[in-house]
């Protein structure tokens, strides 16, 4: 077994020099400004040791990576009732597709596409004011990451709100089917702000640890979710975590992960590691190009796979 | 840890009595005749011990379960070239949907939906006569199962051929895009016969063992596929193995599996177990209702999950 | 040739007693309150004679019938440039479908489905304030109907705005493709108000006369649009005027028409008649059930059809 | 009113020289061989006078133009029962699309797309042998055209049969829903042969005359169909006769027509003219590019439109 620290540093160096870095997301002006040359990685092993490379301490917009944390919250308050309003199947469509909603009566296919995450935000909102719900999400993520300095980037949040026409369309469309309980602008207020949370790879890997350890935060010893729920969230990440590239990610990387259009990806090797990578350039289906490549290199070098005997 | 043998027998007893058994597939007359009261299960543990319950030795039509074996064969002859003609993504549609093919130029989404498996059959045909290709598939499956008595049920094969209008449509449709190399009736000759292979749970669990052991057949000590390939087939089974119920299967059962409309399901717990279950009644998305339930019971009782820490 | 006045009165009587009256639109609370027993008809013949029956002088919400008038206005300001932003093909989908927009990059199929009419409203808005655009539409319709008393029903307009989630979704979705020039709420302000115009059959038949006379208003002698444009609007009405029931309307009624979910339909027999009917109950595809039946009776009795030799 | 003969000759001359002639259909080898420089036109006026230009006497493959004649035949034997198996709505999709069939349970949208015409062929087959049905169609067309020399081009028929994978897919797909009464290859035998009928513009214009005269053949004085049926076929031609370009054809040309991928178009001006044009190059939606342009020129010059006052 190779040395994990060396592997992580080698990958960071390879990715620093990689010529083909994908395309930085342009649909939100604030994201389009991010420098494509960034690459960061943080791996926390089973002993709680941190192994980092590149820009592991540079904060970035976590975007859809937040969907894992809000799903965890919503399952906490709503339990399996949530699944009446969101499915658990891969979508077979782009992350912001609206076609499927028309065909399936406003029930999004899973909580990791935009429509599904908006329903999850609606659950978290739960009759409170958007600012309260946003505060609760931030508190939850800070707790998981054990870092009170994590903030929501106001420029990104404003940018999302001003240009989020597709998400506004998705929310109103679901509302027309009765699958949002609040006025769309309130629910979207929550959704846009959760996407604008800024975190580093180090913070993200920390926050994701509970999913690598059957729901237990190994640092604090605190249980975040039940064993069963942790595994089920892992199953959703594997089947649905990379939009219409989820099958390909499972095939090449072989572990549960969740990507965001900010270029971040979190992933877990159950019992072995919690991982966060970041590179802003995206591939054709909207996942971090170098992030996915780095994870493939990492799991191959370490012989990590949930499908390993 | 409970005793596996006891767990298997308890599950068999529970399933024998289960009132809601799903609906036996009616689209092929020969399948419609099968008695819905059947239930069989066979689990081979890491030590090669067999644990069986119910009708574990009653042969049934493996139908789409065969797609795992033919994919394995086609990857052997074609390697990664295969992925130019078949995708690796969950379909988001029914197993026999043709919609996706029109939108994606005749490239099926994955090798485990009908269209994808027909392309795989076309690869195996590879210029030979259909009878030769069918013979090669049967030989491969007999070798894996270490049982020369396995046969193709001629009545089922005839029934498939006579009523397989949708599959004929899929094949001709892909041929119109140039994604079949042979005349559709030749490729379909192979496909219909592979679906008509009859096997018992015991035979299927044996034949599936290599996928639970990183590509190595533990009984013979022979390598069937490389470690990487075995894991990748596992990834495809997890993301695509249950048609439009794959996400749900991953969520509830948590291990790679592949179902067939004959009511069979094969599944693997990497490093730990190779499993086959059978119950003819299907759920709404075409997977064995009691088969999936039995697997959920089994993995929960044994604390098996690829997402376990 | 039967006497037109007698035919009109006989139809009104038949429709007054018809048992199967369809279903009053429920998606806007204000429309749901309308009494399903209403039926009105007004036919203006080539000599300018009015023939009325039933509730020909009861105002109702014209809803999508307004799309004919706003299309006429938008073509006046934008000319054929309009067709870069809206197609001219039947949609093959429901009036409020969003599927087609995803597939065709935010370009609605025609100006008579909701999405297309919203683009038309966006053209009419043209940098003005919504109140100005709404005023201009009202003025245009009053001029056509030669009746200054026509108003916008404020309760209906408010109801549309408060519950128009699907239309909000459509507008935001098109905006995400850049096919709206204004913020969606401004364009929708125009759209929701035009739908809330209240008119009688008598007023509508009058306002529609120019389309029955190659663009010339026979009462005033004033040209509203060119001959070519009048015919082309007629072509659009015939192919797209009844949503996904347009083919059926052309088949059974045989003349250009445009329906609205308020239960109104306008139609023209070129050179011979301008017609408006109203009955609030709708059929399965959202067109006035008795309105369409009355028009079929009328054209059959009078031997009217654009397909007649 | 300009002189029709002069107009026709001028158009033929303009089209002879037109640089942009579209693309000759390549999906059938026999069609791909046709010389794109051809252009023919024949107009029969209300007095029965023939006005021709260009290659009006060169036979070509009528392809989907045949769908008008077979629909007429099938309505004769089946009457309105036919509409239980075929719709009357524009499709909103390409002529050979299969998507809609999946969504609408194997009922094609209208008799002028391939799937619909295959159902019509199945009706005509009606328990007879394919050769008998093909003979009956040929006899019907010869009678209409008053020309016993019309034949089916055997090379085209063979070419259709050998390469018609999409049509084979459509037929088998509908058969899987029970919407074909015969084995698909029998029905397709009829369909492929009707498409391979070879006719000249002169013959086609003659055969189409009954549709310009409320169902009466003016040459023979014989009634082909009832007045109502003739008009209804006209309505179907206007709304569905040019695949996904039907709206555009109605908008620009303004009269009922039916195109074929051989480059032919028939059209009628009710009470005034029966028209056939031919130019092999097709536009993006599969209709004759110069044929449609010639018809637009003709109707504009003659002030012909079913929407004219």
């Amino acid at each position: 077994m190779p040395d994990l620290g060396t592997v992580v540093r080698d990958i960071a160096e390879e990715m620093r020099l990689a010529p083909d870095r994908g395309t930085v997301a342009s649909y939100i002006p604030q994201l389009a400004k991010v420098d494509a040359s960034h690459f960061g990685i943080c791996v926390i092993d089973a002993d709680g040791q941190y192994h980092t490379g590149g820009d592991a301490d540079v904060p970035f917009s976590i975007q859809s990576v937040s969907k894992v944390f809000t799903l965890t919250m919503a399952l906490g308050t709503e339990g399996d009732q949530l699944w009446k309003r969101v499915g658990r199947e891969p979508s077979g469509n782009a992350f912001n597709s609206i076609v499927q909603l028309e065909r399936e009566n406003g029930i999004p296919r899973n909580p990791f596409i935009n429509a599904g995450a908006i329903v999850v935000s609606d659950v978290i909102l739960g009759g409170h004011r958007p600012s309260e719900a946003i505060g609760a999400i931030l508190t939850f993520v800070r707790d998981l990451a054990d870092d009170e300095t994590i903030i929501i980037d106001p420029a990104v949040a404003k940018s999302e709100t001003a240009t989020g026409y597709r998400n506004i369309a998705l929310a109103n469309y679901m509302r027309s089917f009765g699958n949002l309980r609040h006025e769309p602008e309130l629910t979207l207020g929550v959704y846009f702000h959760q996407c604008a949370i800024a975190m580093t790879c180090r913070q993200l890997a920390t926050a994701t640890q509970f999913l690598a350890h059957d729901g237990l935060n190994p640092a604090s010893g605190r249980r975040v979710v039940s064993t069963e729920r942790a595994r089920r969230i892992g199953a959703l990440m594997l089947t649905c975590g990379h939009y219409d590239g989820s099958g390909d990610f499972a095939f090449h990387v072989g572990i549960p992960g969740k990507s965001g259009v900010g270029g971040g990806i979190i992933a877990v090797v159950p019992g072995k590691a919690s991982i966060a990578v970041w590179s802003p350039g995206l591939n054709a289906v909207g996942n971090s190009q170098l992030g996915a490549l780095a994870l493939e290199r990492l799991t191959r070098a370490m012989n990590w796979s949930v499908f390993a005997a």
Side-chain angles (χ1 to χ4, degrees), chain A residues 3-164:
Chain A
D3 176 66
L4 177 55
T6 307
V7 167
V8 166
R9 279 186 300 275
D10 287 353
I11 289 172
E13 183 62 14
E14 180 193 351
M15 295 304 149
R16 193 176 66 80
L17 301 170
D20 182 8
R21 308 186 76 83
T23 308
V24 176
S26 63
Y27 79 104
I28 301 172
Q30 291 295 321
L31 292 184
K33 292 178 190 167
V34 176
D35 182 351
S37 70
H38 282 300
F39 176 83
I41 181 168
C42 176
V43 183
I44 311 175
D45 65 22
D47 300 325
Q49 295 295 314
Y50 282 69
H51 306 274
T52 61
D55 305 316
D57 291 304
V58 177
F60 58 90
S61 190
I62 69 170
Q63 296 291 318
S64 294
V65 171
S66 65
K67 292 170 183 171
V68 174
F69 306 125
T70 53
L71 171 65
T72 303
M73 283 181 76
L75 285 171
T77 57
E78 196 84 350
D80 283 343
Q81 296 294 314
L82 176 67
W83 305 119
K84 294 183 179 169
R85 296 172 59 188
V86 191
R88 288 183 300 248
E89 292 300 329
S91 73
N93 278 300
F95 66 98
N96 57 5
S97 172
I98 205 162
V99 166
Q100 173 265 326
L101 287 180
E102 178 162 328
R103 211 150 295 144
E104 298 181 345
N105 300 311
I107 307 294
R109 288 225 129 204
N110 67 66
F112 292 155
I113 53 173
N114 289 16
I118 291 169
V119 170
V120 168
S121 299
D122 194 64
V123 166
I124 293 174
L125 184 48
H128 299 97
R129 281 176 304 184
S131 62
E132 293 170 331
I134 295 164
I137 293 170
L138 194 57
T139 298
F140 182 69
V141 170
R142 284 172 170 174
D143 276 5
L144 287 177
D146 192 26
D147 192 330
E148 292 300 303
T149 68
I150 293 167
I151 57 162
I152 290 169
D153 185 326
V156 172
K158 195 177 167 191
S159 194
E160 305 256 11
T161 308
T163 62

Side-chain angles (χ1 to χ4, degrees), chain A residues 9 56 69 151 154 236 252 258 297:
Chain A
R9 279 186 300 275
F69 306 125
I151 57 162
L236 288 165
H252 281 113
K258 178 74 201 86
R297 291 276 192 281

Side-chain angles (χ1 to χ4, degrees), chain A residues 16 55 62 90 106 108 123 170 173 186 209 239 248 260 272 277 308:
Chain A
R16 193 176 66 80
D55 305 316
I62 69 170
V123 166
L170 290 169
Y173 202 67
L186 300 180
Q209 270 190 290
T239 53
D248 210 58
K272 293 187 178 147
V277 292

Side-chain angles (χ1 to χ4, degrees), chain A residues 146-205:
Chain A
D146 192 26
D147 192 330
E148 292 300 303
T149 68
I150 293 167
I151 57 162
I152 290 169
D153 185 326
V156 172
K158 195 177 167 191
S159 194
E160 305 256 11
T161 308
T163 62
Y165 298 113
R166 280 229 180 181
N167 288 321
I168 298 172
L170 290 169
N172 277 280
Y173 202 67
M174 290 190 290
R175 173 79 175 177
S176 78
F177 283 102
N179 199 20
L180 287 194
R181 303 279 184 268
H182 306 85
E183 284 301 316
E185 65 266 31
L186 300 180
T187 299
L188 287 167
V190 178
Y191 179 72
F192 288 141
H193 279 81
Q194 82 183 49
C195 290
I197 295 174
M199 291 174 79
T200 66
C201 286
R202 185 182 301 269
Q203 291 165 336
L204 273 177

